[in-house]
Amino acid sequence: MTAEIRLVEVTDANRDAVIAVRLRPDQEQFVASVEKSFQHAEQYPDAKPWYRAVYAGDEPVGFVMLSWNLVPGPGFRGPYFLWRLLVGAEHQGRGYGTAILDEVVTLLRAEGAKELLTSYVPEEGSPEPFYRGYGFVPTGEVDEDGEVILTLDLTTRP
């Protein structure tokens, strides 16, 4: 059973509550914070960042950020690249990560996207098992930071 979530635009009214969503300390080496994600979105507008807070009921439980329909080029993979996916420490293990991906996949398919790319740091404790379990597979590429690139075929996944 998948958790029920909503993807909500980040506004001045909810920004602080979304920034307060934190990972477990042992996960911080793998996924940048929400605040750092906002900084990256500002620093790299050419990456066409699209981001949303993830809510369960009235509570922010996570955050997701993609490069949305960009033309791939030096330093940018796409057209759709899952840049950040995080679920707050106290909300993990409830199906929110899968629900977030399900929602993102639905949105991407509506855009006509054929694949979603992402990457992970290949170290113990990385999100690789989660992504592989969802259906992402390695492309055989490693980026300049040593992250393994994964792809999800959006034309075959139910």
Side-chain angles (χ1 to χ4, degrees), residues 45 66 84 154:
L66 287 82
R84 297 283 190 282
L154 300 178

Side-chain angles (χ1 to χ4, degrees), residues 2 5 24 33-34 39 43 48 54 58 90 93 97 115 155:
T2 303
I5 55 108
R24 293 190 329 245
S33 69
V34 175
Q39 291 169 5
Q43 287 175 324
K48 297 183 80 174
V54 180
D58 293 330
E90 66 276 16
E115 76 172 343
T155 64

Side-chain angles (χ1 to χ4, degrees), residues 5-130:
I5 55 108
R6 294 177 295 124
L7 300 183
V8 176
E9 192 168 343
V10 177
T11 65
D12 288 342
N14 68 359
R15 182 175 300 270
D16 288 343
V18 176
I19 287 172
V21 174
R22 300 263 190 247
L23 293 164
R24 293 190 329 245
D26 63 307
Q27 297 170 325
E28 292 172 356
Q29 65 186 358
F30 299 113
V31 182
S33 69
V34 175
E35 191 167 27
K36 187 64 120 176
S37 297
F38 290 152
Q39 291 169 5
H40 288 162
E42 259 184 54
Q43 287 175 324
Y44 303 104
D46 292 346
K48 297 183 80 174
W50 176 95
Y51 53 83
R52 295 293 184 267
V54 180
Y55 275 74
D58 293 330
E59 183 177 11
V61 298
F63 179 80
V64 64
M65 184 164 82
L66 287 82
S67 286
W68 192 275
N69 200 20
L70 65 83
V71 176
F76 298 117
R77 294 188 191 294
Y80 299 94
F81 186 88
L82 180 62
W83 202 354
R84 297 283 190 282
L85 172 61
L86 63 94
V87 174
E90 66 276 16
H91 302 291
Q92 293 181 13
R94 299 182 190 171
Y96 291 130
T98 298
I100 295 165
L101 281 178
D102 288 347
E103 197 68 26
V104 165
V105 165
T106 298
L107 292 171
L108 291 176
R109 283 187 173 141
E111 289 285 311
K114 304 290 186 226
E115 76 172 343
L116 174 61
L117 298 167
T118 195
S119 65
Y120 69 91
V121 176
E123 293 179 16
E124 184 69 32
S126 82
E128 176 192 12
F130 169 74

